[in-house]
């Protein structure tokens, strides 16, 4: 398996634009997580899904952030409108119930 | 709510010396514990995990950790570090009744020549 695949690896956008980050989890995994990593706040859990259903979105910063998982092999994290303070590395991870989380390589987002 | 505390933000150590990276967790239920390593510009990679059984867990790259329930700790150790171990290390906890992984703030290990 190729592991968790995230795209794009890097994204630079202007403030106010919509940004969509994409994630393909490991085949067969039933949990998917979106994390944000910054120097100031470390690794924060934004939202996680189990069997494609959002279970806990309490980490989503505000209504500008939304996440979907239309099927077991794809998830998106959308920011609309984006702001400079959203600049961070966004990680997607997946796991099979009871096991460890496998991380993607991350998307480095820069909002200017 | 579960939480993870990594007491040291940075640990400098000379090559071939031993190292211990500390991790404490707070939880009133059974937990699963993990250590991850992150190299620059990369994702997190699992070093080792404790799910059940022996409290001494061995992982990749010569690392090991000991689960201590009475002290709610899961410290990471390596008897002799290499320059290539320079990275950031994250401790994580997951409660037995949840799918949620909570990460510590990380410890930056710098191995000096």
């Amino acid at each position: 398996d190729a592991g968790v695949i995230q795209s794009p690896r890097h994204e630079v956008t202007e403030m106010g634009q919509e940004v969509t980050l994409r994630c393909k989890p490991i085949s067969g995994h039933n949990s998917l997580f979106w994390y944000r990593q910054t120097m100031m706040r470390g690794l924060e859990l934004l939202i996680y899904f189990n069997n494609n259903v959002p279970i806990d979105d309490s980490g989503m910063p505000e209504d500008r952030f939304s996440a979907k998982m239309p099927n077991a092999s794809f998830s998106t994290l959308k920011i609309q409108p984006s702001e400079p303070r959203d600049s961070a590395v966004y990680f997607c991870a997946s796991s099979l119930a009871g096991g460890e989380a496998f991380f993607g390589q991350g998307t480095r987002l820069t909002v200017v | 709510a579960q939480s993870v505390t990594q007491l040291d933000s940075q640990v400098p150590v000379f090559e071939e010396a031993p190292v211990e990276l500390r991790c404490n967790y707070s939880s009133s239920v059974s937990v699963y514990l993990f250590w991850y390593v992150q190299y620059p510009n990369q994702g997190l990679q699992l070093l080792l995990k404790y799910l059940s059984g022996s409290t001494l867990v061995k992982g990749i790259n010569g690392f090991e950790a000991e689960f201590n329930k009475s002290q709610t700790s899961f410290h990471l150790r390596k008897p002799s570090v290499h320059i290539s171990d320079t990275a950031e290390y994250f401790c994580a906890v997951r409660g037995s009744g949840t799918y949620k992984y909570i990460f510590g703030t990380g410890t930056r290990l710098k191995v000096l020549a």
Side-chain angles (χ1 to χ4, degrees):
Chain A
D1 201 315
V4 176
I5 299 174
Q6 292 186 245
S7 64
R9 288 295 310 276
H10 302 274
E11 176 81 41
V12 180
T13 190
E14 291 185 347
M15 183 174 62
Q17 296 298 306
E18 177 180 295
V19 175
T20 300
L21 312 181
R22 296 173 176 79
C23 175
K24 182 181 188 311
I26 292 173
S27 177
H29 281 191
N30 58 354
S31 295
L32 183 140
F33 309 84
W34 282 101
Y35 285 88
R36 177 172 68 177
Q37 186 177 38
T38 61
M39 289 291 292
M40 293 298 296
R41 301 171 71 92
L43 201 60
E44 304 173 274
L45 176 64
L46 300 178
I47 184 171
Y48 78 95
F49 296 82
N50 191 51
N51 294 326
N52 312 339
V53 176
I55 302 299
D56 185 345
D57 65 355
S58 59
M60 296 286 261
E62 48 198 275
D63 292 345
R64 297 185 296 107
F65 286 69
S66 62
K68 294 182 180 179
M69 192 165 186
N71 57 62
S73 59
F74 184 66
S75 176
T76 59
L77 177 68
K78 185 178 293 186
I79 308 172
Q80 164 66 10
S82 58
E83 296 182 3
R85 61 192 168 121
D86 302 330
S87 296
V89 181
Y90 291 81
F91 286 104
C92 176
S94 70
S95 73
L96 184 58
E100 67 269 29
F102 291 80
F103 281 75
Q105 294 293 295
T107 295
R108 183 175 296 276
L109 173 65
T110 303
V111 183
V112 297
Chain B
Q2 291 165 357
S3 65
V4 177
T5 302
Q6 292 184 245
L7 297 167
D8 306 300
S9 60
Q10 293 187 64
V11 174
V13 62
F14 285 103
E15 193 174 18
E16 297 183 8
V19 71
E20 178 180 84
L21 306 183
R22 296 180 291 171
C23 173
N24 288 88
Y25 66 92
S26 69
S27 175
S28 60
V29 298
S30 298
V31 295
Y32 305 121
L33 294 155
F34 308 84
W35 274 100
Y36 285 82
V37 60
Q38 185 180 30
Y39 299 103
N41 300 314
Q42 293 191 25
L44 279 71
Q45 176 186 357
L46 183 72
L47 272 179
L48 48 80
K49 61 186 176 185
Y50 171 79
L51 302 180
S52 65
S54 172
T55 57
L56 183 62
V57 180
K58 294 190 182 297
I60 63 171
N61 300 344
F63 284 93
E64 64 180 32
E66 185 154 19
F67 170 57
N68 187 320
K69 188 173 182 179
S70 62
Q71 297 187 7
T72 60
S73 68
F74 191 55
H75 300 332
L76 181 71
R77 303 185 184 100
K78 186 170 182 177
S80 175
V81 295
H82 303 289
I83 296 287
S84 59
D85 293 324
T86 294
E88 187 139 21
Y89 292 80
F90 291 91
C91 182
V93 64
R94 180 173 75 81
S96 62
T98 174
Y99 299 102
K100 196 170 175 176
Y101 298 80
I102 303 299
F103 283 81
T105 51
T107 297
R108 190 173 298 275
L109 175 63
K110 182 153 179 68
V111 181
L112 309 168

